[in-house]
Amino acid sequence: MTYLLIFILKIFENTVNTLRLLYTSSNQKLLSSLLQMLCSLLFITTTSLVVINCNDFFIIIVFSLGCTIGSYIGSLLEEKIALGSNIIICITELDIMDQIRSNGYKLTSTKGTGLDIKNIIFIMTTRKKKRKLIKLLKELDENIFVMSGIAINENH
């Protein structure tokens, strides 16, 4: 029973801790603080159970497996929640700005000079819509160069 309790608590703790990091990076201080309190309670509980039973090597394995699975589940949840915004910067030889706008995206563009003149396009999007946007860009120009970064200023 102790094995199962440690395993479940570690899964829960690591899942919550991953979500806490997500909310911390999204500047949701109150929620991330509450999640940190929950993580601390779970950590103290599971660590105490392991220390009390430290002569049992299998309990350490169960503790580690719970950490691993909890981190994995947390990363899956983070991917589904996908808070925040991304800036997509793309470089193309084609004039595709109107098609991008007609798909509901706001953009800023400029000309880039090098060997050839190219369009440099800056597009703000939510993380949830990022993959859809990149797919659209690749459909519009299979040779497009796309870069993605985290947007700090989310006033778009």
Side-chain angles (χ1 to χ4, degrees):
M1 187 66 175
T2 304
Y3 296 128
L4 183 61
L5 181 62
I6 289 171
F7 184 70
I8 291 170
L9 289 176
K10 283 311 287 181
I11 289 174
F12 191 60
E13 176 196 340
N14 279 277
T15 300
V16 170
N17 199 32
T18 303
L19 294 176
R20 179 192 64 82
L21 291 172
L22 170 70
Y23 289 115
T24 299
S25 67
S26 296
N27 206 25
Q28 295 186 30
K29 295 176 180 122
L30 180 60
L31 183 54
S32 64
S33 296
L34 293 171
L35 290 174
Q36 177 59 52
M37 184 181 78
L38 180 57
C39 285
S40 297
L41 290 170
L42 292 167
F43 175 77
I44 292 295
T45 303
T46 53
T47 304
S48 297
L49 289 169
V50 171
V51 169
I52 289 168
N53 299 292
C54 65
N55 57 348
D56 183 355
F57 184 73
F58 188 67
I59 211 160
I60 296 169
I61 300 297
V62 169
F63 182 93
S64 300
L65 284 172
C67 289
T68 304
I69 293 171
S71 293
Y72 181 74
I73 292 171
S75 65
L76 292 176
L77 286 173
E78 189 278 334
E79 195 174 90
K80 295 290 182 199
I81 295 171
L83 294 175
S85 296
N86 282 125
I87 177 82
I88 305 294
I89 303 167
C90 41
I91 301 171
T92 178
E93 295 178 1
L94 304 179
D95 185 7
I96 59 173
M97 282 74 75
D98 288 339
Q99 293 100 316
I100 296 169
R101 285 186 183 104
S102 69
N103 279 277
Y105 296 99
K106 296 177 184 176
L107 63 87
T108 300
S109 65
T110 188
K111 297 287 182 193
T113 56
L115 292 175
D116 299 313
I117 296 175
K118 298 192 180 191
N119 294 306
I120 302 173
I121 307 168
F122 303 86
I123 310 164
M124 289 286 293
T125 188
T126 62
R127 285 187 56 221
K128 286 185 179 187
K129 295 180 182 176
K130 176 184 162 185
R131 286 188 180 159
K132 183 179 175 185
L133 172 58
I134 292 173
K135 182 180 178 208
L136 170 68
L137 294 170
K138 295 286 186 182
E139 288 171 1
L140 294 173
D141 178 3
E142 64 183 30
N143 296 315
I144 196 166
F145 178 75
V146 179
M147 295 175 281
S148 172
I150 298 170
I152 303 300
N153 183 356
E154 296 188 15
N155 297 325
H156 61 282

